[in-house]
Amino acid sequence: GNTLFIYTLLGEGQAEAHMATADDARGILKAVIEFLKAMKIAGFQKLITDIENPQMFRLFDLAKVNYEVSQSPEQSDAQNMVEIYL
């Protein structure tokens, strides 16, 4: 696929993750499922990310991702901070 994940270790089983993609919805879904599976196998329990595209929430629902949304108080734009539990 054409999806890239970049993550920063935060310690204690947590990481901040970001995604860049040129894939269609089906390719993104597959990439997200594979990435989350690999992160869980590696021992991570939680990923933190920000979501700019609200369609990602539908994709998370399709992939059965356990996540929680909270608005980031320090950001003035409409991004949502998301915690993904693995």
Side-chain angles (χ1 to χ4, degrees):
N2 293 309
T3 299
L4 171 69
F5 292 95
I6 300 169
Y7 63 94
T8 303
L9 302 176
L10 299 176
E12 300 180 13
Q14 298 182 42
E16 181 176 337
H18 301 280
M19 178 185 77
T21 187
D23 280 331
D24 61 12
R26 202 169 297 173
I28 296 169
L29 179 62
K30 181 180 176 185
V32 166
I33 290 169
E34 289 176 2
F35 175 70
L36 295 179
K37 181 179 176 183
M39 294 299 281
K40 185 173 184 172
I41 289 170
F44 288 91
Q45 291 104 30
K46 181 167 74 171
L47 299 177
I48 299 167
T49 190
D50 57 326
I51 302 292
E52 296 175 17
N53 184 341
Q55 292 183 18
M56 285 300 296
F57 296 114
R58 183 169 184 270
L59 184 135
F60 284 172
D61 292 339
L62 289 171
K64 297 182 177 24
V65 174
N66 182 14
Y67 67 93
E68 184 175 309
V69 180
S70 63
Q71 191 69 31
S72 175
E74 67 272 1
Q75 292 183 345
S76 60
D77 57 16
Q79 293 182 9
N80 292 296
M81 295 304 293
V82 178
E83 293 182 349
I84 299 171
Y85 301 98
L86 304 174

